[in-house]
Amino acid sequence: MVNDMRIVVVAALLAVAAVQAVSAQPEWPERRYRGNGVHIRIGRDYVLPADQVSTRPVIVIGGSATIDGRVEEDLVVIGGSVRIGPAGHVRGDLVSMGGPLTLP
């Protein structure tokens, strides 16, 4: 589990480095929740509605995460707040650095 968390944190740090390369490009188009793949948000908030389930890790850097649904894997938030709603649930590890954590 510790090795998995290290991989998630390293991936998050690499994603931050990649942002500088694409920062000159136009803003990314808004995407609908698909339920597959790692969910990475850099400089944007992440919201998981109550009727949704994320089966992959969620990584948020420089934004906040609001979890009203269920995250089956890890949730990592760096530099933002985390709010877990009354029906929200995180089955993996929850890592929050640099922001408040609000639990029901």
Side-chain angles (χ1 to χ4, degrees):
M1 188 65 98
V2 172
N3 287 335
D4 291 338
M5 187 54 61
R6 286 182 186 162
I7 291 170
V8 170
V9 170
V10 168
L13 293 175
L14 289 174
V16 169
V19 166
Q20 299 213 355
V22 296
S23 63
Q25 296 180 4
E27 189 172 321
W28 294 342
E30 196 61 35
R31 295 185 183 143
R32 298 189 128 240
Y33 174 79
R34 292 190 187 119
N36 56 8
V38 177
H39 302 281
I40 299 176
R41 298 289 186 275
I42 300 173
R44 296 188 307 152
D45 295 341
Y46 178 83
V47 177
L48 184 65
D51 61 342
Q52 299 287 329
V53 176
S54 171
T55 59
R56 302 292 183 176
V58 176
I59 302 170
V60 181
I61 301 170
S64 299
T66 301
I67 307 299
D68 291 319
R70 189 172 75 231
V71 178
E72 294 290 328
E73 293 287 333
D74 299 335
L75 171 62
V76 178
V77 179
I78 301 171
S81 63
V82 177
R83 186 188 74 75
I84 307 294
H89 186 73
V90 178
R91 292 190 59 151
D93 291 335
L94 171 60
V95 177
S96 175
M97 298 188 317
L101 173 63
T102 305
L103 300 171

